């Protein structure tokens, strides 16, 4: 044979592939990760070929047995991967032929690596999305637990990172829970479009064999065979969607991370992260660094980058398959690994967060966080809101000068700014009064936090988690 490096298409070629080009175009170093899905897809394909009379029962059984053995060899680390055989598909097919002889060469009947690889990736992503979904749920469980524990804990709520109004820590955590619920939906929705089967599209136009795609789809638990062969082998929009959902998730996790980093600082001192989630400094003995949230914040960059890579990879590609698509795997794999790693770290860490309730409360007290409550009080007594705003502004200016929070001023002091103020004002100036008054769906009142936790539990139960 003239072509020693690529027997699969040697017939048409008059010289072997250049050694560097062979390495440059090979993908086996990274796509071998798909071996399980490749074998799963091949077994279903062989079953289908037998069902429609293209393979005999014996041929089908030999193929299934051979592939089963190959799978074990791969898992034991005994399989010899060869760059000359380019990718996972040809490595496994060549090993099968070596093992069972000529029947191995029949497996590829009515199929191409183009529909094969697209199928492998979808099977892989389906499994990975399921893992991502269950990790999101686990993190959400942790948040519910913590939010319930901290339903009454008062902290300052911020806008512009300036103290705005008191909120409960449980309410803050339930905001994170909401973000993650939408992330869950995005991945679950992405899964619907992933779970469509390319197999049968062959190289691009379909095949002349009497294949039964519905049967293969059923064997592989795909919802349906893809409706157009050209589209099926070429588009990677589902991988782009995954990276988009992953980017939004990571964006949310950077927001959580940023807050955790701030809160663990001596300046905030709102929470303690147990030592097992932190590291020290090799030079400064006093340091305890919140590495996990910092790393998650940093890892967002990769995932955003992979989204850009895949969008750029797909851009302007004419139908149908192009080799560009081989470049889909590394970004996708790394996005999957990164998302799973970040979720795992957070799901382990979140239930272990300890609130420093006194410091949180003190920070809320110091920041005149009940100023809006005083304005609302005046409005209820008939003062127009703009005038109330002015009165409270003057009271705060006085408080800054005299070093007193609004709740620490005497009635006489407060009455300097408005004689509408009476001694019932102290009910609204306390932090507890302020949060308890925001008692409606979505509000920060402790009772509402508990109601939100109940709704969250129902949501997780409806997912079967
Ligand atoms: N390794 C290839 C990929 O990942 C498999 C498909 C190759 N098809 C081809 N016609 N060269 O996309």
């Amino acid at each position: 044979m003239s072509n020693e490096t690529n027997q699969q298409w040697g017939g048409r070629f008059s010289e072997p592939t250049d050694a560097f080009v062979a390495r440059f175009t090979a993908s086996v170093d990274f796509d071998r990760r798909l071996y399980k899905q490749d074998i799963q897809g091949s077994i279903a394909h062989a079953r289908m070929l037998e069902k429609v009379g293209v393979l005999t029962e014996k041929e089908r059984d030999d193929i299934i047995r051979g592939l089963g053995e190959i799978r074990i060899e791969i898992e034991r680390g005994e399989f010899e991967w060869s760059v000359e055989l380019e990718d996972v598909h040809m490595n496994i097919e060549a090993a099968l032929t070596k093992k069972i002889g000529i029947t191995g060469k029949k497996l590829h009947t009515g199929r191409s690596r183009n529909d094969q690889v697209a199928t492998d990736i979808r099977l892989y992503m389906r499994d990975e999305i399921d893992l991502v979904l269950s990790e999101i749920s686990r993190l959400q469980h942790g948040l519910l637990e913590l939010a319930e524990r901290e339903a009454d804990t008062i902290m300052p709520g911020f806008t512009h990172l300036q103290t705005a109004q008191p909120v409960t820590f449980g309410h803050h955590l339930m905001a994170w829970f909401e973000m993650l619920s939408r992330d869950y939906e995005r991945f679950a929705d992405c899964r619907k479009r992933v779970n469509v089967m390319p197999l049968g599209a062959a190289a691009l136009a379909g095949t002349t064999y009497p294949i039964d795609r519905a049967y293969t789809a059923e064997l592989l638990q795909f919802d349906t065979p893809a409706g157009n062969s050209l589209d099926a082998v070429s588009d990677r929009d589902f991988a782009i969607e995954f990276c988009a959902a992953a980017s939004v998730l990571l964006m949310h996790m950077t927001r959580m991370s940023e807050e955790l980093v701030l809160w663990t600082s001596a300046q905030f001192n709102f929470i303690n992260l147990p030592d097992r989630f932190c590291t020290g400094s090799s030079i400064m003995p006093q340091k305890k660094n919140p590495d996990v949230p910092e790393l998650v914040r940093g890892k967002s960059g990769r995932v955003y980058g992979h989204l850009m890579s895949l969008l750029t990879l797909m851009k302007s590609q004419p139908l149908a398959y192009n080799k560009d698509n081989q470049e889909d795997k590394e970004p996708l794999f790394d996005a999957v690994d990164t998302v799973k790693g970040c979720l795992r770290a957070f799901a382990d860490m979140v239930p272990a967060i300890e609130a420093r309730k006194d410091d949180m409360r003190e920070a809320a007290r110091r920041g005149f966080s009940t100023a809006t409550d005083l304005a609302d009080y005046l409005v209820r007594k008939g003062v127009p809101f703009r005038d109330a705003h002015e009165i409270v502004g003057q009271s705060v200016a006085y408080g800054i000068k005299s070093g007193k929070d609004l709740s620490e001023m005497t009635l006489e002091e407060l009455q300097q700014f408005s004689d509408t103020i009476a001694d019932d004002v102290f009910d609204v100036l306390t932090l507890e009064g302020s949060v308890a008054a925001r008692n409606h769906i979505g509000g920060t009142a402790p009772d509402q936090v508990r109601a939100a936790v109940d709704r969250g539990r129902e949501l997780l139960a409806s997912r079967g988690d």
Side-chain angles (χ1 to χ4, degrees):
M1 184 175 292
S2 60
N3 182 347
E4 283 147 20
T5 50
N6 270 310
Q7 298 97 357
Q8 262 76 0
W9 54 74
R12 188 221 182 278
F13 285 69
S14 58
E15 59 174 355
T17 314
D18 175 86
F20 173 71
V21 170
R23 264 183 286 131
F24 184 68
T25 54
S27 54
V28 65
D29 284 344
F30 49 86
D31 67 13
R32 54 204 260 190
R33 190 196 271 233
L34 298 172
Y35 78 91
K36 221 184 288 175
Q37 291 78 16
D38 198 66
I39 288 172
Q40 189 186 356
S42 289
I43 289 176
H45 182 64
R47 284 192 199 285
M48 184 278 290
L49 289 179
E50 186 279 326
K51 180 173 182 272
V52 301
V54 173
L55 292 179
T56 66
E57 278 184 32
K58 161 100 173 67
E59 287 168 336
R60 175 199 65 193
D61 294 344
D62 285 351
I63 287 173
I64 294 175
R65 182 179 41 79
L67 288 171
E69 286 171 21
I70 289 170
R71 182 178 163 153
I72 292 167
E73 283 161 27
I74 294 172
E75 284 169 0
R76 288 199 184 133
E78 291 163 3
F79 190 86
E80 256 185 65
W81 296 101
S82 146
V83 176
E84 282 69 47
L85 290 166
E86 202 181 310
D87 56 27
V88 62
H89 324 292
M90 295 204 287
N91 267 267
I92 291 177
E93 193 191 319
L96 181 69
T97 302
K98 214 158 133 199
K99 210 181 257 302
I100 66 169
I102 187 147
T103 305
K105 296 188 182 176
K106 296 191 177 179
L107 171 62
H108 213 51
T109 312
R111 184 176 81 168
S112 151
R113 280 184 298 153
N114 297 350
D115 58 344
Q116 189 178 356
V117 70
T119 302
D120 291 2
I121 304 170
R122 285 171 182 268
L123 287 170
Y124 162 81
M125 284 188 60
R126 194 174 71 182
D127 291 347
E128 295 297 337
I129 289 172
D130 288 342
L131 294 175
V132 167
L133 290 174
S134 75
E135 281 297 79
I136 293 177
S137 288
R138 191 163 74 87
L139 171 54
Q140 289 191 289
H141 270 293
L143 283 172
L144 289 178
E145 198 183 299
L146 188 59
E148 188 167 49
R149 215 155 69 215
E150 306 297 344
D152 297 284
T153 306
I154 288 176
M155 68 182 283
F158 300 94
T159 59
H160 313 267
L161 202 59
Q162 310 291 316
T163 298
Q165 292 172 358
V167 294
T168 47
F169 186 35
H171 190 55
H172 194 114
L173 295 164
M174 288 307 289
W176 294 1
F177 183 92
E178 293 279 330
M179 301 174 195
L180 291 168
S181 296
R182 294 190 296 276
D183 288 317
Y184 185 98
E185 283 178 30
R186 270 183 280 273
F187 282 105
D189 201 56
C190 171
R191 191 190 191 285
K192 291 183 206 157
R193 283 174 293 282
V194 164
N195 204 27
V196 172
M197 188 191 72
L199 215 53
L204 75 163
T207 175
T208 55
Y209 297 94
I211 57 172
D212 182 347
R213 298 187 70 208
Y215 180 65
T216 322
E218 191 190 312
L219 290 177
L220 292 171
Q221 292 170 308
F222 278 111
D223 293 333
T224 173
N228 180 291
S229 62
L230 298 168
D231 175 49
V233 290
S234 63
D235 209 343
R236 297 291 182 266
D237 58 352
F238 57 92
I240 295 173
E241 271 192 56
F242 177 89
C243 286
S247 294
V248 178
L249 168 68
L250 262 288
M251 176 277 291
H252 283 150
M253 293 182 80
T254 65
R255 297 181 65 199
M256 300 170 198
S257 296
E258 179 76 6
E259 294 187 325
L260 293 172
V261 171
L262 286 171
W263 294 346
T264 52
S265 69
Q267 288 69 23
F268 274 81
N269 206 39
F270 282 6
I271 60 164
N272 180 44
L273 287 181
D275 290 359
R276 63 183 182 282
F277 297 109
C278 300
T279 65
S281 156
S282 54
I283 175 167
M284 297 166 285
Q286 86 284 11
K287 290 292 291 291
K288 174 172 150 181
N289 298 328
D291 288 44
V292 168
E294 288 175 276
L295 252 187
V296 169
R297 194 174 56 187
K299 280 183 187 289
S300 61
R302 293 175 181 242
V303 177
Y304 296 179
H306 297 325
L307 172 61
M308 281 304 133
S309 299
L310 292 183
L311 280 169
T312 312
L313 164 72
M314 203 66 242
K315 179 184 176 294
S316 310
Q317 272 197 50
L319 287 171
Y321 176 87
N322 300 283
K323 185 78 167 180
D324 312 40
N325 280 350
Q326 181 164 292
E327 285 288 303
D328 63 352
K329 289 168 205 64
E330 287 163 294
L332 183 61
F333 292 162
D334 189 68
V336 165
D337 292 343
T338 304
V339 166
K340 284 197 303 185
C342 292
L343 283 170
R344 179 179 172 171
F346 257 58
D348 289 349
M349 181 181 68
V350 158
I353 291 173
E354 296 158 19
R356 295 200 165 103
K357 297 180 208 270
D358 295 344
D359 292 86
M360 283 187 176
R361 194 175 196 293
E362 176 56 20
R365 195 197 62 80
R366 246 186 290 122
F368 298 98
S369 62
T370 54
T372 317
D373 298 87
L374 179 55
D376 290 343
Y377 166 88
L378 290 165
V379 169
R380 278 196 300 276
K381 300 236 161 179
V383 180
F385 184 78
R386 277 294 150 223
D387 294 341
H389 191 286
E390 176 63 22
I391 293 165
V392 179
Q394 289 168 3
S395 317
V396 168
Y398 172 78
I400 292 168
K401 247 191 288 144
S402 59
K404 286 182 187 171
D405 180 61
L406 294 172
S407 62
E408 292 162 343
M409 294 177 194
T410 63
L411 186 57
E412 289 70 41
E413 281 176 303
L414 287 167
Q415 281 173 337
Q416 301 170 68
F417 309 105
S418 165
D419 51 20
T420 315
I421 298 176
D423 62 3
D424 58 349
V425 73
F426 294 105
D427 298 341
V428 309
L429 289 185
T430 64
L431 296 168
E432 283 73 15
S434 171
V435 293
R438 287 163 170 79
N439 192 14
H440 51 76
I441 294 176
T444 193
D447 285 347
Q448 292 299 333
V449 175
R450 282 183 273 271
V453 168
D454 288 345
R455 288 198 301 273
R457 291 226 161 91
E458 273 166 37
L459 177 71
L460 295 191
S462 74
R463 289 178 195 163
D465 292 316

